Amino acid sequence: MAKAALAHGLSYLAITDHSRRLTVAHGLDPDRLREQGTEIRKAGAGLEGITLLSGIEVDILDDGVLDLPDRVLASSTS
């Protein structure tokens, strides 16, 4: 994906997924989110000319709380 984005002249590519509540999309739990972020960072380190970004589409639960804890979301950005 990153090489195709580069070929199209892009400088950034964001890779996102759904949080765990969206089971039909096999949403990410904290461990899988951490693993995905690690893999995206590793892939980005080997590329020149493009920055890979990782993110997650976090559901807001019925009680107003996010589907993943703040500590997990904060750690997935480093």
Side-chain angles (χ1 to χ4, degrees), residues 13-75:
L13 176 64
I15 301 169
T16 67
D17 213 325
H18 294 277
S19 59
R20 59 188 167 188
R21 180 170 179 177
L22 191 58
T23 56
V24 70
H26 304 288
L28 301 180
D29 62 24
D31 291 334
R32 290 181 57 218
L33 175 62
R34 194 172 307 110
E35 289 170 16
Q36 184 184 66
T38 299
E39 291 301 315
I40 291 170
R41 281 188 292 281
K42 282 198 297 191
L47 296 172
E48 229 175 272
I50 191 163
T51 299
L52 298 184
L53 306 169
S54 64
I56 188 153
E57 299 173 35
V58 180
D59 283 3
I60 300 171
L61 304 178
D62 294 335
D63 61 1
V65 174
L66 296 179
D67 190 20
L68 292 169
D70 288 345
R71 65 177 171 68
V72 171
L73 296 173
S75 69

